[in-house]
């Protein structure tokens, strides 16, 4: 096995850079690769990335006013031409996806995004990506260089290397793209009120819940269980009863809780892909043929409005 | 304004057949328009209705995409014309190939001001094609767009949602935008539109028609398998609601998850 010679990691988010460096180290099992990080930020960001124990840092210290941070892609492209990395790892955020696609187009290659697992073989890199709403996984080998992949948050450890030798820091001048949009305004979203990914127990509501007022009932159950409330997409995007960050599924959260209780959830793949890592799955649905029962450990085929009060009571007496 | 909306037509993920050895088959799956792409079509149609212009739907893929039911479905939702670029080599095409063919088709149409995409394809969900097409066309391209308004001739104002912020952005046309799945609710076609759909033009182009001789793959597909799944017990608890709940709680206690 020959390790890739140079690995470049890119993210607008300094902590995610830490995780990507963790991923890059996995590719560097023989310790022969040079790992470089691109930092779009000031000296403190550079110091933080240096603490992750990286070999080189390319700093783009300022993105001009009115530009999107994604406009660094042209500067990156120039760097890629000069530095010729074998592998480029990009943080799978909205910004990362845009940068990734622009680079892929210019380099005439396909990026493999949201990579779940990867390995470096003598004939190149093999990576796994989820397809068909989680129904299948595809193992792929990119045929062109460099290999461009994006990796989602939370898959690799951030390692702070004590007394890391100071990396070489090179400042890159920002190259302005010819065609560009103008950022007029930005607003911070309210801080995310829930972290479903780390929740121990989750009670998930589906369209079987008839009225928004009934959420109070479910809150009682969640309180008794010490559970977070989640939902299927229609309750959030369609009805707007719950915020976006509370829906589970392909375009929502992937949970890893000990317990998932679905109330009036039918069990379509786009939703259940987000619960496959839950330890115990419970489903309550009045339709005995609902697909969720096949994917559950325990099922009750009954009206959730009868089950809810009984369940709250039973748990109170535990 | 001439608007192109790109739609992925692919086997419905609901119809996958998983073998006991983890093999995955789409042989009996119905081909449908990707669910993420319908909001993009609706966005385009609303813009054209409000400001004048026409929407051309565009899809590239293997011969399976050219089915009368799918054609009608697309054209009854407000697109005035459908262009399909069909070639067997587009089966399992990766994003670079798909983006290259879409770009060539858009260039052939000429005079297009806006290209819209969904947030990802329903089958592969790389979330890359829209962004790549914009860049290949040499236009501005954005993802995660949640609102699109025409400001002045040749300028859009869009809202973009990131993980922690909302951006308001001025976009010069021509542009390629990938929209979020909650940008708007796709319409249900009316009877009148369904009847009208069969009279709208459908063009089928070959790769040669868009000036592409051959399409070298950028990625080799080594295997497609169902991911390893935790085996589920699938125990249906019988009896009255009270009994079922009592049983459930005792099971959950035993599992140590209460
Ligand atoms: C491209 C695409 C992406 C998607 N992404 C996601 C995603 O990320 N997350 C997601 O969740 N969905 C997603 N969806 C939607 C998904 O396909 C389903 O439509 C959705 O998950 C269904 O939600 P539901 O189970 O709440 O509603 P339904 O499917 O309508 O099911 C409601 C269930 O409640 C039961 N019920 C009704 N009343 C009662 C009662 N009184 N007591 C007990 N049971 C009752 C019914 O029997 C039924 O089974 C996506 C769809 C598409 C096309």
């Amino acid at each position: 096995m020959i390790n890739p010679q140079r690995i470049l990691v890119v993210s607008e988010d300094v902590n995610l850079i830490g995780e990507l460096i963790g991923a890059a180290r996995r590719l560097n099992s023989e310790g022969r690769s040079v790992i470089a990080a691109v930092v779009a930020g000031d000296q403190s960001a550079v110091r933080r990335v240096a603490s992750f124990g990286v070999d080189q840092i390319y700093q783009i210290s300022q993105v001009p006013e009115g530009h999107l941070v994604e406009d660094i892609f042209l500067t990156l492209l120039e760097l890629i031409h000069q530095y010729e990395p074998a592998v480029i790892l990009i943080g799978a955020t909205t910004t990362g996806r845009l940068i990734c696609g622009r680079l892929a187009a210019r380099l005439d290659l396909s990026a493999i995004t949201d990579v779940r697992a990867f390995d470096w073989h003598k004939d190149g890199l093999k990576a796994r990506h989820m397809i068909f709403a989680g129904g299948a996984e595809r193992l792929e080998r990119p045929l062109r260089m460099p290999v461009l992949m994006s990796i989602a948050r939370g898959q690799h450890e951030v390692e702070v290397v004590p007394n890391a030798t100071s990396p070489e820091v090179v400042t890159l001048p920002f190259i302005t793209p010819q065609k560009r949009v103008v950022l007029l305004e930005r607003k911070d979203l309210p801080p995310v009120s829930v972290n479903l990914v780390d929740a121990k127990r989750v009670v998930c509501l589906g369209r079987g819940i008839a009225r928004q007022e009934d959420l109070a009932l479910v809150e009682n159950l969640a309180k008794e269980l010490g559970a977070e409330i989640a939902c299927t997409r229609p309750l959030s995007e369609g009805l707007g009863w719950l915020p976006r960050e509370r829906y589970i599924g392909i375009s929502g959260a992937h949970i890893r809780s000990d317990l998932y209780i679905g109330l009036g959830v039918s069990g379509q793949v786009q939703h259940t892909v987000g619960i496959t890592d839950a330890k115990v799955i419970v489903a309550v649905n009045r339709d005995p043929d609902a697909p969720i029962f096949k994917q559950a450990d325990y099922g009750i085929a009954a009206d959730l409005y009868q089950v809810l009060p009984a369940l709250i009571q039973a748990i109170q007496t535990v | 304004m001439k608007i192109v909306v790109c739609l992925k037509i692919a086997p419905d993920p609901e119809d996958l057949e998983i073998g006991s050895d983890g093999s995955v088959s789409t042989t009996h799956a119905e081909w449908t328009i990707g669910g993420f792409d319908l909001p993009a079509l609706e966005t385009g149609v609303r813009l054209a209705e409000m400001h004048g212009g026409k929407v051309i739907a565009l899809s590239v893929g293997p011969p399976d995409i050219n089915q009368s039911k799918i054609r009608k479905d697309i054209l009854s939702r407000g697109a005035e014309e459908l262009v399909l670029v069909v070639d067997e080599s587009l089966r399992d095409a990766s994003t670079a190939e798909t983006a290259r063919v879409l770009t060539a088709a858009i260039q052939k149409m000429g005079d297009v001001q806006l290209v819209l995409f969904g947030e990802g394809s329903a089958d592969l969900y790389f979330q890359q094609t829209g962004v790549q097409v914009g860049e290949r066309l040499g236009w501005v391209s954005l993802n995660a767009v949640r609102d699109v308004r025409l400001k002045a001739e040749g300028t859009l104002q869009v809202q973009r949602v990131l993980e922690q912020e909302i951006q308001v952005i001025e976009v010069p046309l021509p542009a390629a935008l990938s929209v979020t799945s909650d940008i708007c609710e796709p319409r249900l076609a009316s009877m009148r539109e369904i009847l009208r759909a069969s009279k709208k033009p459908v063009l089928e182009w070959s790769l040669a028609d868009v000036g592409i001789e051959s399409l070298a793959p950028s990625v080799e597909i080594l295997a497609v398998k169902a991911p390893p799944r935790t085996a589920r017990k699938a125990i249906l608890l019988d009896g009255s609601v009270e009994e079922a709940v009592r049983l459930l709680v005792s099971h959950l206690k035993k599992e140590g998850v209460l």
Side-chain angles (χ1 to χ4, degrees), chain B residues 192-205:
Chain B
R192 189 174 148 264
E193 286 300 322
I194 294 171
L195 291 174
R196 230 163 62 81
S198 49
K199 299 197 191 76
K200 293 180 179 175
V202 178
L203 303 179
E204 184 180 315
W205 292 344

Side-chain angles (χ1 to χ4, degrees), chain B residues 157-171:
Chain B
Q157 186 167 313
V158 310
Q159 236 187 57
R160 182 165 178 250
V161 254
L162 278 69
E163 287 75 4
Q164 292 298 325
E165 73 181 52
I166 292 188
Q167 300 175 332
V168 181
I169 301 173
E170 190 179 278
V171 179

Side-chain angles (χ1 to χ4, degrees), chain B residues 168-191:
Chain B
V168 181
I169 301 173
E170 190 179 278
V171 179
L173 294 174
L177 305 177
S178 304
V179 303
T180 60
S181 56
D182 62 347
I183 187 168
C184 60
E185 198 57 47
R187 70 189 60 189
L188 295 172
S190 65
M191 204 52 217

